[in-house]
Amino acid sequence: MLSALILLTTVGGWTAYEYFGGQIHRIRLGLGDDRPADAASGTRNYLLVGSDSRAGTGDEYQSQEAVTDERSDTTMLAHLDADGTTTMVSFPRDTLVRIPGHGRAKLNSAITLGGPSLLIRTIESLTDIKIDHYVSIDLAGFKAMTDALGGVTVCVKQLPNGSKSNLYDPWSQWRGKVGDNRLNGEQALAFVRQRHGLPDNDFDRIRRQQQFIGAVFTQATSTGVLANPVRLESLVHAATGALTVDDGTSINDLRALATRLRGMSADQIRFETIPVHTPTPAEGANAIGELPRFGAVQLYDPIALEKFLGPLRGRPVRPAARSASPSPSVPVSEVKVDVYNGAGVSGLAGSAAARLTRAGFQVGSPRTWSHGTLTASQVRYHPGDAAAARTLQAAVPGSRLQEDTAVPAGRVHLVLGTSFTVSAVVAPSTPAGGGSAADAVPSAAAAPSAPSAPETASEITTGCTY
């Protein structure tokens, strides 16, 4: 949609472009100072959110009772790399994450609990990727932009069992057929929102959303749209009226983005989904894969997620985090640990201490960190105790080593950040004498996570989804 804006500058000049840019709704964010480092020069990260806000829709899309809270139905990270490629990373809405200041919950509840600012902080805490710009669209805006394009064509394939549940869904009101479907705004909204009746539920919905975005990109940048003044103006009006961005996103930022998108081919956009899995009985799930308190969620393996996200960070790996899987040389039974709560979540240090004790560490009484809230957990150690620190770091994926002369010799301090989850603690492989931690705490390889194979926009739009 923003590609249309840059063409408008050549047709109507900067004044027209500035006018339309001024119509976009802007919000002020409160993100604090404890954020990931900037990406390399030329790399930008956009958080794209499709919210299920019913604003402007009257009583539509209320299948049963009224929906009053806003949730992030779709959350994607658009990673624009300095090398000219763009990666669109989808985050399943039911991923169980650590929400800063609120403990563990489903990802889509972050925006309900604290608005866009808390959603951004949650994504940054999860990924260690700094979000440069925020862009969101609600249900009414999605419809308007699709109609302004003149509709979008998607392809639906038949279910393996012959069922037609992917062609008729009473929840989203989706009605379709096998093969190509030309969708207006109303039909497109139903298509990307269906999750019931699809063989892979939310993951098939993500594939639908990725296919739709690829089709929108191809059509919005086609000659048929950009060369048609009437359709172009309608598209620009719809886009600027539908989008909400952060107040740090200037007209120059949008112009730079539009310039880049206009010169990009569909082969330069890749779609991926973070590696998650349904909880197993070993992780506390019941027979249908639900967790007590949280219900149906998706879990991630911190090591698999680290491998997935590493190439997207767009900056050199920091020395403290250079090794995603450090090789411990000190048995866990010889490592003395003090756990500090630096996340501001009640009871977190006590739970972590109990988990580490079961893993075989010598753990002292839990304490409170008095130097502010951290995002990433830190393993702080006295000079000369680096080996013991690496053993602890191996048990807490995503933690960072930090030499600290204030830490007593012979002890290691674990300061928990908001990204820490107790279930992520693993039993590191150590030399003989490490205890029977593997019996008490699952190893990092226990979770059957597997990232989706990346597909380009051209591949995903020429194929079909369920």
Side-chain angles (χ1 to χ4, degrees), residues 59-90:
D59 293 327
E60 290 185 274
Y61 319 122
Q62 317 271 31
S63 59
Q64 293 180 329
E65 59 190 31
V67 177
T68 56
D69 293 325
E70 177 185 12
R71 295 167 299 182
S72 49
D73 236 16
T74 304
T75 302
M76 287 186 176
L77 173 69
H79 174 75
L80 282 66
D81 200 277
D83 65 6
T85 61
T86 293
T87 303
M88 305 284 286
V89 180
S90 294

PDB file of all heavy atoms in Angstrom, residues 59-90:
ATOM      1  N   ASP A  59     -22.075  -4.073  14.847  1.00  0.00           N
ATOM      2  CA  ASP A  59     -22.194  -5.360  15.534  1.00  0.00           C
ATOM      3  C   ASP A  59     -21.660  -6.515  14.710  1.00  0.00           C
ATOM      4  O   ASP A  59     -21.949  -7.678  14.991  1.00  0.00           O
ATOM      5  CB  ASP A  59     -23.667  -5.633  15.887  1.00  0.00           C
ATOM      6  CG  ASP A  59     -24.183  -4.651  16.927  1.00  0.00           C
ATOM      7  OD1 ASP A  59     -23.374  -4.237  17.780  1.00  0.00           O
ATOM      8  OD2 ASP A  59     -25.372  -4.299  16.855  1.00  0.00           O
ATOM      9  N   GLU A  60     -20.892  -6.199  13.654  1.00  0.00           N
ATOM     10  CA  GLU A  60     -20.346  -7.273  12.828  1.00  0.00           C
ATOM     11  C   GLU A  60     -19.261  -8.032  13.588  1.00  0.00           C
ATOM     12  O   GLU A  60     -18.641  -7.519  14.510  1.00  0.00           O
ATOM     13  CB  GLU A  60     -19.729  -6.694  11.548  1.00  0.00           C
ATOM     14  CG  GLU A  60     -20.751  -6.139  10.569  1.00  0.00           C
ATOM     15  CD  GLU A  60     -20.078  -5.698   9.281  1.00  0.00           C
ATOM     16  OE1 GLU A  60     -19.615  -4.552   9.232  1.00  0.00           O
ATOM     17  OE2 GLU A  60     -20.009  -6.508   8.346  1.00  0.00           O
ATOM     18  N   TYR A  61     -19.013  -9.275  13.153  1.00  0.00           N
ATOM     19  CA  TYR A  61     -17.931 -10.117  13.660  1.00  0.00           C
ATOM     20  C   TYR A  61     -18.084 -10.454  15.137  1.00  0.00           C
ATOM     21  O   TYR A  61     -17.124 -10.709  15.829  1.00  0.00           O
ATOM     22  CB  TYR A  61     -16.557  -9.464  13.397  1.00  0.00           C
ATOM     23  CG  TYR A  61     -16.480  -8.833  12.048  1.00  0.00           C
ATOM     24  CD1 TYR A  61     -16.191  -7.479  11.902  1.00  0.00           C
ATOM     25  CD2 TYR A  61     -16.735  -9.581  10.899  1.00  0.00           C
ATOM     26  CE1 TYR A  61     -16.156  -6.902  10.654  1.00  0.00           C
ATOM     27  CE2 TYR A  61     -16.704  -9.004   9.651  1.00  0.00           C
ATOM     28  CZ  TYR A  61     -16.413  -7.667   9.538  1.00  0.00           C
ATOM     29  OH  TYR A  61     -16.380  -7.092   8.299  1.00  0.00           O
ATOM     30  N   GLN A  62     -19.325 -10.411  15.653  1.00  0.00           N
ATOM     31  CA  GLN A  62     -19.591 -10.851  17.015  1.00  0.00           C
ATOM     32  C   GLN A  62     -20.344 -12.179  16.893  1.00  0.00           C
ATOM     33  O   GLN A  62     -21.561 -12.205  16.898  1.00  0.00           O
ATOM     34  CB  GLN A  62     -20.467  -9.834  17.765  1.00  0.00           C
ATOM     35  CG  GLN A  62     -20.063  -8.375  17.523  1.00  0.00           C
ATOM     36  CD  GLN A  62     -19.028  -7.905  18.513  1.00  0.00           C
ATOM     37  OE1 GLN A  62     -18.219  -8.681  18.969  1.00  0.00           O
ATOM     38  NE2 GLN A  62     -19.032  -6.643  18.843  1.00  0.00           N
ATOM     39  N   SER A  63     -19.610 -13.283  16.757  1.00  0.00           N
ATOM     40  CA  SER A  63     -20.260 -14.562  16.510  1.00  0.00           C
ATOM     41  C   SER A  63     -21.153 -14.979  17.665  1.00  0.00           C
ATOM     42  O   SER A  63     -22.142 -15.645  17.473  1.00  0.00           O
ATOM     43  CB  SER A  63     -19.219 -15.658  16.243  1.00  0.00           C
ATOM     44  OG  SER A  63     -18.349 -15.797  17.352  1.00  0.00           O
ATOM     45  N   GLN A  64     -20.780 -14.565  18.880  1.00  0.00           N
ATOM     46  CA  GLN A  64     -21.619 -14.900  20.027  1.00  0.00           C
ATOM     47  C   GLN A  64     -21.784 -13.649  20.878  1.00  0.00           C
ATOM     48  O   GLN A  64     -22.549 -12.759  20.564  1.00  0.00           O
ATOM     49  CB  GLN A  64     -20.987 -16.043  20.826  1.00  0.00           C
ATOM     50  CG  GLN A  64     -20.982 -17.362  20.043  1.00  0.00           C
ATOM     51  CD  GLN A  64     -20.347 -18.484  20.834  1.00  0.00           C
ATOM     52  OE1 GLN A  64     -19.455 -18.268  21.644  1.00  0.00           O
ATOM     53  NE2 GLN A  64     -20.789 -19.698  20.602  1.00  0.00           N
ATOM     54  N   GLU A  65     -20.998 -13.532  21.970  1.00  0.00           N
ATOM     55  CA  GLU A  65     -21.141 -12.370  22.836  1.00  0.00           C
ATOM     56  C   GLU A  65     -20.262 -11.235  22.318  1.00  0.00           C
ATOM     57  O   GLU A  65     -19.394 -11.421  21.472  1.00  0.00           O
ATOM     58  CB  GLU A  65     -20.731 -12.732  24.264  1.00  0.00           C
ATOM     59  CG  GLU A  65     -19.301 -13.221  24.380  1.00  0.00           C
ATOM     60  CD  GLU A  65     -19.012 -13.791  25.746  1.00  0.00           C
ATOM     61  OE1 GLU A  65     -19.924 -14.331  26.376  1.00  0.00           O
ATOM     62  OE2 GLU A  65     -17.849 -13.689  26.183  1.00  0.00           O
ATOM     63  N   ALA A  66     -20.499 -10.030  22.812  1.00  0.00           N
ATOM     64  CA  ALA A  66     -19.759  -8.865  22.354  1.00  0.00           C
ATOM     65  C   ALA A  66     -18.285  -8.979  22.701  1.00  0.00           C
ATOM     66  O   ALA A  66     -17.906  -9.490  23.750  1.00  0.00           O
ATOM     67  CB  ALA A  66     -20.342  -7.596  22.991  1.00  0.00           C
ATOM     68  N   VAL A  67     -17.432  -8.514  21.782  1.00  0.00           N
ATOM     69  CA  VAL A  67     -15.983  -8.500  22.003  1.00  0.00           C
ATOM     70  C   VAL A  67     -15.590  -7.067  22.341  1.00  0.00           C
ATOM     71  O   VAL A  67     -15.742  -6.166  21.533  1.00  0.00           O
ATOM     72  CB  VAL A  67     -15.228  -8.977  20.740  1.00  0.00           C
ATOM     73  CG1 VAL A  67     -13.737  -8.893  20.970  1.00  0.00           C
ATOM     74  CG2 VAL A  67     -15.639 -10.390  20.386  1.00  0.00           C
ATOM     75  N   THR A  68     -15.123  -6.846  23.556  1.00  0.00           N
ATOM     76  CA  THR A  68     -14.813  -5.489  24.003  1.00  0.00           C
ATOM     77  C   THR A  68     -13.334  -5.189  23.998  1.00  0.00           C
ATOM     78  O   THR A  68     -12.929  -4.066  23.787  1.00  0.00           O
ATOM     79  CB  THR A  68     -15.377  -5.254  25.423  1.00  0.00           C
ATOM     80  OG1 THR A  68     -14.842  -6.260  26.296  1.00  0.00           O
ATOM     81  CG2 THR A  68     -16.900  -5.359  25.420  1.00  0.00           C
ATOM     82  N   ASP A  69     -12.479  -6.186  24.259  1.00  0.00           N
ATOM     83  CA  ASP A  69     -11.043  -5.957  24.327  1.00  0.00           C
ATOM     84  C   ASP A  69     -10.407  -6.126  22.957  1.00  0.00           C
ATOM     85  O   ASP A  69     -10.879  -6.879  22.113  1.00  0.00           O
ATOM     86  CB  ASP A  69     -10.379  -6.939  25.297  1.00  0.00           C
ATOM     87  CG  ASP A  69     -10.803  -6.680  26.734  1.00  0.00           C
ATOM     88  OD1 ASP A  69     -10.997  -5.492  27.070  1.00  0.00           O
ATOM     89  OD2 ASP A  69     -10.946  -7.648  27.498  1.00  0.00           O
ATOM     90  N   GLU A  70      -9.295  -5.411  22.750  1.00  0.00           N
ATOM     91  CA  GLU A  70      -8.531  -5.559  21.513  1.00  0.00           C
ATOM     92  C   GLU A  70      -7.428  -6.582  21.727  1.00  0.00           C
ATOM     93  O   GLU A  70      -6.760  -6.594  22.745  1.00  0.00           O
ATOM     94  CB  GLU A  70      -7.906  -4.209  21.127  1.00  0.00           C
ATOM     95  CG  GLU A  70      -7.024  -4.275  19.895  1.00  0.00           C
ATOM     96  CD  GLU A  70      -6.328  -2.961  19.613  1.00  0.00           C
ATOM     97  OE1 GLU A  70      -6.363  -2.079  20.493  1.00  0.00           O
ATOM     98  OE2 GLU A  70      -5.751  -2.821  18.522  1.00  0.00           O
ATOM     99  N   ARG A  71      -7.254  -7.482  20.765  1.00  0.00           N
ATOM    100  CA  ARG A  71      -6.164  -8.449  20.799  1.00  0.00           C
ATOM    101  C   ARG A  71      -5.449  -8.425  19.458  1.00  0.00           C
ATOM    102  O   ARG A  71      -6.017  -8.008  18.452  1.00  0.00           O
ATOM    103  CB  ARG A  71      -6.707  -9.862  21.084  1.00  0.00           C
ATOM    104  CG  ARG A  71      -7.330 -10.041  22.445  1.00  0.00           C
ATOM    105  CD  ARG A  71      -8.117 -11.327  22.525  1.00  0.00           C
ATOM    106  NE  ARG A  71      -9.200 -11.326  21.555  1.00  0.00           N
ATOM    107  CZ  ARG A  71     -10.089 -12.308  21.428  1.00  0.00           C
ATOM    108  NH1 ARG A  71     -10.005 -13.365  22.211  1.00  0.00           N
ATOM    109  NH2 ARG A  71     -11.049 -12.242  20.538  1.00  0.00           N
ATOM    110  N   SER A  72      -4.200  -8.894  19.463  1.00  0.00           N
ATOM    111  CA  SER A  72      -3.442  -8.932  18.211  1.00  0.00           C
ATOM    112  C   SER A  72      -3.722 -10.265  17.527  1.00  0.00           C
ATOM    113  O   SER A  72      -3.146 -11.289  17.874  1.00  0.00           O
ATOM    114  CB  SER A  72      -1.938  -8.755  18.481  1.00  0.00           C
ATOM    115  OG  SER A  72      -1.494  -9.626  19.511  1.00  0.00           O
ATOM    116  N   ASP A  73      -4.661 -10.251  16.586  1.00  0.00           N
ATOM    117  CA  ASP A  73      -5.024 -11.459  15.861  1.00  0.00           C
ATOM    118  C   ASP A  73      -3.865 -11.939  14.988  1.00  0.00           C
ATOM    119  O   ASP A  73      -3.697 -13.126  14.772  1.00  0.00           O
ATOM    120  CB  ASP A  73      -6.248 -11.168  14.976  1.00  0.00           C
ATOM    121  CG  ASP A  73      -7.386 -12.125  15.266  1.00  0.00           C
ATOM    122  OD1 ASP A  73      -7.357 -12.778  16.318  1.00  0.00           O
ATOM    123  OD2 ASP A  73      -8.306 -12.233  14.432  1.00  0.00           O
ATOM    124  N   THR A  74      -3.118 -11.009  14.464  1.00  0.00           N
ATOM    125  CA  THR A  74      -1.968 -11.316  13.603  1.00  0.00           C
ATOM    126  C   THR A  74      -0.794 -10.469  14.044  1.00  0.00           C
ATOM    127  O   THR A  74      -0.924  -9.251  14.195  1.00  0.00           O
ATOM    128  CB  THR A  74      -2.291 -11.009  12.124  1.00  0.00           C
ATOM    129  OG1 THR A  74      -3.443 -11.729  11.733  1.00  0.00           O
ATOM    130  CG2 THR A  74      -1.120 -11.369  11.227  1.00  0.00           C
ATOM    131  N   THR A  75       0.351 -11.092  14.254  1.00  0.00           N
ATOM    132  CA  THR A  75       1.570 -10.357  14.624  1.00  0.00           C
ATOM    133  C   THR A  75       2.702 -10.840  13.726  1.00  0.00           C
ATOM    134  O   THR A  75       3.019 -12.025  13.708  1.00  0.00           O
ATOM    135  CB  THR A  75       1.941 -10.605  16.100  1.00  0.00           C
ATOM    136  OG1 THR A  75       0.844 -10.219  16.939  1.00  0.00           O
ATOM    137  CG2 THR A  75       3.164  -9.781  16.488  1.00  0.00           C
ATOM    138  N   MET A  76       3.279  -9.917  12.979  1.00  0.00           N
ATOM    139  CA  MET A  76       4.374 -10.239  12.069  1.00  0.00           C
ATOM    140  C   MET A  76       5.517  -9.249  12.243  1.00  0.00           C
ATOM    141  O   MET A  76       5.295  -8.054  12.476  1.00  0.00           O
ATOM    142  CB  MET A  76       3.915 -10.193  10.611  1.00  0.00           C
ATOM    143  CG  MET A  76       3.028 -11.318  10.161  1.00  0.00           C
ATOM    144  SD  MET A  76       2.724 -11.216   8.368  1.00  0.00           S
ATOM    145  CE  MET A  76       1.780 -12.717   8.114  1.00  0.00           C
ATOM    146  N   LEU A  77       6.720  -9.752  12.127  1.00  0.00           N
ATOM    147  CA  LEU A  77       7.911  -8.913  12.106  1.00  0.00           C
ATOM    148  C   LEU A  77       8.375  -8.814  10.664  1.00  0.00           C
ATOM    149  O   LEU A  77       8.679  -9.824  10.030  1.00  0.00           O
ATOM    150  CB  LEU A  77       9.014  -9.528  12.971  1.00  0.00           C
ATOM    151  CG  LEU A  77      10.381  -8.834  12.904  1.00  0.00           C
ATOM    152  CD1 LEU A  77      10.307  -7.465  13.572  1.00  0.00           C
ATOM    153  CD2 LEU A  77      11.454  -9.688  13.556  1.00  0.00           C
ATOM    154  N   ALA A  78       8.391  -7.595  10.127  1.00  0.00           N
ATOM    155  CA  ALA A  78       8.917  -7.363   8.784  1.00  0.00           C
ATOM    156  C   ALA A  78      10.366  -6.916   8.933  1.00  0.00           C
ATOM    157  O   ALA A  78      10.640  -5.800   9.370  1.00  0.00           O
ATOM    158  CB  ALA A  78       8.098  -6.313   8.049  1.00  0.00           C
ATOM    159  N   HIS A  79      11.289  -7.811   8.599  1.00  0.00           N
ATOM    160  CA  HIS A  79      12.722  -7.544   8.732  1.00  0.00           C
ATOM    161  C   HIS A  79      13.267  -7.135   7.369  1.00  0.00           C
ATOM    162  O   HIS A  79      13.390  -7.955   6.464  1.00  0.00           O
ATOM    163  CB  HIS A  79      13.444  -8.785   9.253  1.00  0.00           C
ATOM    164  CG  HIS A  79      14.938  -8.646   9.294  1.00  0.00           C
ATOM    165  ND1 HIS A  79      15.588  -7.904  10.253  1.00  0.00           N
ATOM    166  CD2 HIS A  79      15.904  -9.160   8.481  1.00  0.00           C
ATOM    167  CE1 HIS A  79      16.896  -7.966  10.034  1.00  0.00           C
ATOM    168  NE2 HIS A  79      17.106  -8.715   8.961  1.00  0.00           N
ATOM    169  N   LEU A  80      13.560  -5.843   7.208  1.00  0.00           N
ATOM    170  CA  LEU A  80      14.107  -5.320   5.965  1.00  0.00           C
ATOM    171  C   LEU A  80      15.616  -5.271   6.098  1.00  0.00           C
ATOM    172  O   LEU A  80      16.174  -4.384   6.748  1.00  0.00           O
ATOM    173  CB  LEU A  80      13.547  -3.930   5.656  1.00  0.00           C
ATOM    174  CG  LEU A  80      12.126  -3.870   5.078  1.00  0.00           C
ATOM    175  CD1 LEU A  80      11.095  -4.362   6.090  1.00  0.00           C
ATOM    176  CD2 LEU A  80      11.780  -2.440   4.658  1.00  0.00           C
ATOM    177  N   ASP A  81      16.281  -6.241   5.519  1.00  0.00           N
ATOM    178  CA  ASP A  81      17.720  -6.378   5.680  1.00  0.00           C
ATOM    179  C   ASP A  81      18.469  -5.409   4.775  1.00  0.00           C
ATOM    180  O   ASP A  81      17.973  -4.997   3.720  1.00  0.00           O
ATOM    181  CB  ASP A  81      18.146  -7.815   5.365  1.00  0.00           C
ATOM    182  CG  ASP A  81      19.496  -8.156   5.969  1.00  0.00           C
ATOM    183  OD1 ASP A  81      20.526  -7.822   5.346  1.00  0.00           O
ATOM    184  OD2 ASP A  81      19.525  -8.739   7.068  1.00  0.00           O
ATOM    185  N   ALA A  82      19.664  -5.077   5.201  1.00  0.00           N
ATOM    186  CA  ALA A  82      20.502  -4.174   4.416  1.00  0.00           C
ATOM    187  C   ALA A  82      20.869  -4.763   3.063  1.00  0.00           C
ATOM    188  O   ALA A  82      21.227  -4.026   2.139  1.00  0.00           O
ATOM    189  CB  ALA A  82      21.767  -3.826   5.202  1.00  0.00           C
ATOM    190  N   ASP A  83      20.774  -6.100   2.917  1.00  0.00           N
ATOM    191  CA  ASP A  83      21.127  -6.724   1.640  1.00  0.00           C
ATOM    192  C   ASP A  83      20.006  -6.653   0.614  1.00  0.00           C
ATOM    193  O   ASP A  83      20.121  -7.196  -0.492  1.00  0.00           O
ATOM    194  CB  ASP A  83      21.553  -8.181   1.846  1.00  0.00           C
ATOM    195  CG  ASP A  83      20.413  -9.078   2.363  1.00  0.00           C
ATOM    196  OD1 ASP A  83      19.262  -8.598   2.451  1.00  0.00           O
ATOM    197  OD2 ASP A  83      20.682 -10.246   2.677  1.00  0.00           O
ATOM    198  N   GLY A  84      18.875  -6.013   0.966  1.00  0.00           N
ATOM    199  CA  GLY A  84      17.784  -5.839   0.016  1.00  0.00           C
ATOM    200  C   GLY A  84      16.660  -6.842   0.148  1.00  0.00           C
ATOM    201  O   GLY A  84      15.616  -6.689  -0.485  1.00  0.00           O
ATOM    202  N   THR A  85      16.831  -7.876   0.959  1.00  0.00           N
ATOM    203  CA  THR A  85      15.770  -8.871   1.147  1.00  0.00           C
ATOM    204  C   THR A  85      14.857  -8.460   2.303  1.00  0.00           C
ATOM    205  O   THR A  85      15.247  -7.697   3.186  1.00  0.00           O
ATOM    206  CB  THR A  85      16.352 -10.259   1.443  1.00  0.00           C
ATOM    207  OG1 THR A  85      17.109 -10.204   2.655  1.00  0.00           O
ATOM    208  CG2 THR A  85      17.238 -10.729   0.302  1.00  0.00           C
ATOM    209  N   THR A  86      13.652  -8.993   2.283  1.00  0.00           N
ATOM    210  CA  THR A  86      12.690  -8.756   3.356  1.00  0.00           C
ATOM    211  C   THR A  86      12.168 -10.096   3.853  1.00  0.00           C
ATOM    212  O   THR A  86      11.770 -10.949   3.059  1.00  0.00           O
ATOM    213  CB  THR A  86      11.512  -7.893   2.866  1.00  0.00           C
ATOM    214  OG1 THR A  86      11.980  -6.577   2.568  1.00  0.00           O
ATOM    215  CG2 THR A  86      10.420  -7.803   3.939  1.00  0.00           C
ATOM    216  N   THR A  87      12.194 -10.297   5.168  1.00  0.00           N
ATOM    217  CA  THR A  87      11.676 -11.526   5.778  1.00  0.00           C
ATOM    218  C   THR A  87      10.482 -11.175   6.649  1.00  0.00           C
ATOM    219  O   THR A  87      10.575 -10.319   7.524  1.00  0.00           O
ATOM    220  CB  THR A  87      12.752 -12.219   6.637  1.00  0.00           C
ATOM    221  OG1 THR A  87      13.900 -12.492   5.827  1.00  0.00           O
ATOM    222  CG2 THR A  87      12.219 -13.530   7.210  1.00  0.00           C
ATOM    223  N   MET A  88       9.353 -11.835   6.383  1.00  0.00           N
ATOM    224  CA  MET A  88       8.137 -11.630   7.172  1.00  0.00           C
ATOM    225  C   MET A  88       8.006 -12.813   8.125  1.00  0.00           C
ATOM    226  O   MET A  88       7.785 -13.947   7.697  1.00  0.00           O
ATOM    227  CB  MET A  88       6.923 -11.566   6.249  1.00  0.00           C
ATOM    228  CG  MET A  88       7.025 -10.515   5.147  1.00  0.00           C
ATOM    229  SD  MET A  88       6.760  -8.845   5.756  1.00  0.00           S
ATOM    230  CE  MET A  88       5.006  -8.869   6.025  1.00  0.00           C
ATOM    231  N   VAL A  89       8.177 -12.560   9.420  1.00  0.00           N
ATOM    232  CA  VAL A  89       8.143 -13.610  10.432  1.00  0.00           C
ATOM    233  C   VAL A  89       6.811 -13.566  11.180  1.00  0.00           C
ATOM    234  O   VAL A  89       6.466 -12.549  11.785  1.00  0.00           O
ATOM    235  CB  VAL A  89       9.306 -13.457  11.432  1.00  0.00           C
ATOM    236  CG1 VAL A  89       9.245 -14.569  12.484  1.00  0.00           C
ATOM    237  CG2 VAL A  89      10.641 -13.475  10.708  1.00  0.00           C
ATOM    238  N   SER A  90       6.066 -14.669  11.137  1.00  0.00           N
ATOM    239  CA  SER A  90       4.794 -14.750  11.836  1.00  0.00           C
ATOM    240  C   SER A  90       4.985 -15.324  13.239  1.00  0.00           C
ATOM    241  O   SER A  90       5.772 -16.251  13.434  1.00  0.00           O
ATOM    242  CB  SER A  90       3.816 -15.651  11.063  1.00  0.00           C
ATOM    243  OG  SER A  90       3.469 -15.070   9.829  1.00  0.00           O
TER     244      SER A  90
END
